[in-house]
C-alpha cells in the first residue's frame, strides 16, 4: 500500500503512523497524513489503483484537537477506508485550521460521503468544497453554532429556550 | 298504559342521570389519547395499553394517531428542539376540549438530557395539565395520571382550553396506602 502511494506521490513524504499507540503490542492500524490540497488526487488514486483498491469509504469524521497535548492543528478530518478486494484498511487524516476550515469534498469519489460530510459540517463547521448539497443534517436550520467543537458549552448558548410558546388561549 | 309508564320512567332516569352527572361523565370515561412517544416512555405507554395494565378499563385504549380524533395528548419521552414544531402543530390541530399529559422526567423537565438540543420540559412551550413523574414511569403511574385527567374533566367540564385554569394546582396524592409491618407482627 505505502509503496504504491510513495511511488505515485514521491514529493509528499507520506509515511504510515500508528492510529492508536499501544504500549503492550505493535500497532496494526495506520493512518497517512495528507494535505488538503492533494486530498482528491490521493483519494482517487487509492480507490482506482490495483494495489490499493479502496472501494469503500467506511466513515468520515472529524476530531477537534483544541487543548490536545502537542497538537499543531485544530481540526483533523478522518477518512476510514476499506478495501474489500485486498481486505485491508487505511485511515487518512487531513488537518485544517480556523478561521475557515475547508476541505475538498470526496463525494465525487465515494457517494457515501454525502451525509457524512453534512454531519461534519453541522457539528464542526468544516466546509467541504464541491459538496452538492451542504446543509445541516442533524440540528435545525436556524441553529448557528457547531456543537461538537470543544469550546461549545454542553448546555448550549440559549438555543433551546429560543422558541415560540403556545398558550391555552392560542388554541 | 303500563308500557308508556315504563318508557317515561326510563327516559326520566336517563335525563336525571345526565342532569346529575353531566356529559363530563361520558367524556371522562372515553378519553382518546394521542400518543406522542419519542423514547423509552413510549415503551411504557405501550405496556399501559397492553393486556396486563389494560388502559381500556378507563375507556382510553383508543390510541388515535390523528390529532383530529383525540382529546388527550400524552407526550412520552424527550423532545428535541427540532421536534418541537411538530408537537406544537399536533397540539394546535387537536379539537377542543383537549388535555395534555407530560409523561416522564424528560418530557417534564428535560431529565438527564441537559444538553443544547433537548427541550427542558415541554411545559415551556405547551400548556400541560398533568405531570407524570418517573424515569420511565411505571404503567400504574401513567394510569394515575390518566385518572387525574379524569378528575380534572369531572371538575372543569368541557369548557375550551382558553377558559380553563392552568392544571389542577395541586399534587396528586397516591391513592394507595403503604402498610409497614409493626414490631408486634
Amino acid at each position: 500500500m505505502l509503496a504504491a502511494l510513495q511511488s505515485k506521490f514521491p514529493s509528499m513524504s507520506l509515511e504510515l503512523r500508528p492510529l492508536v499507540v499501544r504500549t503492550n503490542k505493535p500497532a496494526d492500524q495506520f493512518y497517512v497524513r495528507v494535505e488538503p490540497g492533494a486530498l482528491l488526487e490521493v483519494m482517487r488514486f487509492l480507490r482506482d489503483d490495483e494495489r490499493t483498491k479502496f472501494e469503500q469509504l467506511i466513515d468520515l469524521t472529524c476530531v477537534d484537537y483544541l487543548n490536545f497535548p502537542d497538537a499543531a492543528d485544530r481540526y483533523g478530518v478522518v477518512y476510514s477506508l476499506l478495501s474489500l478486494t485486498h481486505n485491508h484498511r487505511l485511515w487518512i487524516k487531513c488537518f485544517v485550521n480556523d478561521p475557515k476550515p475547508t476541505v475538498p469534498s470526496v463525494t465525487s469519489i465515494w457517494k457515501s460521503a454525502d451525509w457524512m460530510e453534512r454531519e461534519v459540517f453541522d457539528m464542526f463547521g468544516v466546509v467541504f468544497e464541491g459538496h452538492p448539497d451542504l446543509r445541516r443534517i442533524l440540528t435545525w436550520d436556524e441553529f448557528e453554532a457547531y456543537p461538537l467543537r470543544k469550546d461549545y458549552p454542553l448546555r448550549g448558548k440559549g438555543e433551546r429556550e429560543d422558541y415560540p410558546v403556545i398558550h391555552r388561549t392560542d388554541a | 298504559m303500563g308500557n308508556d309508564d315504563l318508557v317515561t320512567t326510563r327516559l326520566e332516569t336517563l335525563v336525571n342521570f345526565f342532569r346529575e352527572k353531566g356529559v363530563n361523565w361520558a367524556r371522562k370515561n372515553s378519553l382518546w389519547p394521542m400518543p406522542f412517544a419519542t423514547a423509552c416512555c413510549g415503551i411504557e405507554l405501550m405496556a399501559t395499553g397492553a393486556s396486563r395494565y389494560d388502559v381500556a378499563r378507563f375507556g382510553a385504549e383508543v390510541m388515535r394517531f390523528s390529532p383530529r380524533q383525540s382529546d388527550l395528548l400524552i407526550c412520552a419521552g424527550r423532545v428535541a428542539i427540532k421536534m418541537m414544531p411538530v408537537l406544537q402543530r399536533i397540539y394546535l390541530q387537536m379539537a377542543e376540549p383537549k388535555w395534555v399529559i407530560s409523561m416522564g422526567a424528560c418530557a417534564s423537565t428535560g431529565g438527564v438530557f441537559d444538553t443544547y438540543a433537548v427541550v427542558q420540559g415541554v411545559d415551556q412551550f405547551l400548556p400541560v395539565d398533568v405531570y407524570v413523574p418517573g424515569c420511565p414511569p411505571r404503567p400504574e403511574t401513567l394510569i394515575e395520571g390518566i385518572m387525574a385527567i379524569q378528575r380534572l374533566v369531572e371538575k372543569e367540564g368541557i369548557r375550551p382550553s382558553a377558559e380553563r385554569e392552568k392544571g389542577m394546582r395541586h399534587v396528586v396524592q397516591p391513592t394507595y396506602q403503604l402498610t409497614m409491618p409493626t414490631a408486634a407482627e
Side-chain angles (χ1 to χ4, degrees):
Chain A
M1 266 194 312
L2 185 70
L5 263 177
Q6 282 173 339
S7 62
K8 173 76 181 171
F9 307 101
S11 60
M12 285 186 207
S13 66
L14 301 171
E15 55 179 83
L16 286 184
R17 304 158 198 246
L19 190 72
V20 181
V21 179
R22 293 193 188 92
T23 50
N24 52 355
K25 58 177 179 179
D28 53 354
Q29 299 176 330
F30 298 95
Y31 77 89
V32 171
R33 180 175 175 164
V34 178
E35 291 304 315
L39 184 75
L40 279 183
E41 201 183 351
V42 172
M43 288 298 202
R44 192 162 281 119
F45 169 80
L46 284 174
R47 189 195 61 178
D48 295 335
D49 192 82
E50 281 304 323
R51 291 164 294 179
T52 49
K53 260 298 181 220
F54 287 107
E55 303 101 338
Q56 209 172 356
L57 175 71
I58 292 290
D59 198 6
L60 189 161
T61 183
C62 181
V63 183
D64 187 352
Y65 286 102
L66 186 72
N67 303 330
F68 192 83
D70 309 324
D73 303 286
R74 171 85 196 256
Y75 307 105
V77 185
V78 185
Y79 300 82
S80 170
L81 308 179
L82 168 67
S83 167
L84 295 164
T85 312
H86 302 300
N87 189 21
H88 56 209
R89 291 175 189 266
L90 182 67
W91 281 262
I92 304 287
K93 283 194 187 182
C94 191
F95 291 95
V96 283
N97 280 300
D98 282 335
K100 201 168 162 43
T102 308
V103 176
S105 167
V106 295
T107 44
S108 55
I109 304 172
W110 293 283
K111 277 269 183 269
S112 61
D114 190 333
W115 279 16
M116 302 175 188
E117 287 182 353
R118 277 178 64 185
E119 185 192 10
V120 172
F121 167 72
D122 191 355
M123 291 287 147
F124 293 92
V126 176
V127 177
F128 290 90
E129 275 185 337
H131 191 285
D133 180 24
L134 197 62
R135 286 180 295 131
R136 289 184 176 273
I137 187 170
L138 290 171
T139 55
W140 51 106
D141 291 344
E142 297 81 24
F143 196 70
E144 287 175 358
Y146 300 113
L148 280 192
R149 289 188 178 184
K150 294 284 186 193
D151 52 5
Y152 183 78
L154 172 69
R155 293 178 179 82
K157 296 176 177 172
E159 294 94 346
R160 64 187 185 188
E161 280 84 22
D162 184 22
Y163 208 81
V165 182
I166 290 184
H167 298 283
R168 284 181 196 277
T169 46
D170 299 344
Chain B
M1 300 293 285
N3 266 350
D4 291 348
D5 288 348
L6 187 65
V7 169
T8 317
T9 315
R10 283 191 169 179
L11 263 178
E12 265 177 17
T13 312
L14 204 62
V15 168
N16 282 340
F17 177 82
F18 273 107
R19 196 172 285 149
E20 283 169 33
K21 301 271 188 181
V23 183
N24 298 338
W25 175 83
R27 186 177 285 282
K28 86 175 187 104
N29 287 307
S30 63
L31 285 167
W32 286 12
M34 158 90 216
F36 189 85
T38 55
C40 9
C41 278
I43 309 292
E44 222 62 25
L45 179 58
M46 294 172 211
T48 314
S51 51
R52 180 181 292 257
Y53 294 97
D54 196 16
V55 82
R57 296 173 294 157
F58 304 89
E61 83 279 19
V62 197
M63 298 280 176
R64 288 295 160 188
F65 296 99
S66 155
R68 293 275 179 227
Q69 298 175 357
S70 47
D71 49 11
L72 170 63
L73 174 64
I74 300 182
C75 182
R78 62 191 130 77
V79 180
I81 306 257
K82 207 173 171 178
M83 203 65 183
M84 203 64 214
V86 180
L87 180 59
Q88 286 187 334
R89 195 179 316 143
I90 286 173
Y91 176 78
L92 287 175
Q93 284 177 352
M94 283 168 71
E96 287 282 358
K98 53 194 172 188
W99 293 271
V100 180
I101 287 183
S102 165
M103 176 181 175
C106 298
S108 305
T109 66
V112 296
F113 300 101
D114 191 3
T115 65
Y116 59 91
V118 176
V119 175
Q120 300 298 296
V122 290
D123 57 345
Q124 287 186 11
F125 307 112
L126 280 183
V128 173
D129 292 300
V130 167
Y131 301 88
V132 177
C135 180
R138 283 189 60 96
E140 298 96 324
T141 326
L142 179 60
I143 285 174
E144 184 71 53
I146 291 175
M147 285 160 75
I149 292 276
Q150 288 185 332
R151 293 197 278 276
L152 197 72
V153 176
E154 215 171 14
K155 188 166 71 94
E156 293 207 321
I158 49 172
R159 285 181 295 152
S161 294
E163 297 174 18
R164 291 189 358 231
E165 54 184 68
K166 185 165 184 186
M168 301 184 72
R169 291 171 188 270
H170 65 82
V171 178
V172 178
Q173 295 298 332
T175 46
Y176 58 87
Q177 193 64 45
L178 278 177
T179 52
M180 297 293 287
T182 55
E185 293 170 1

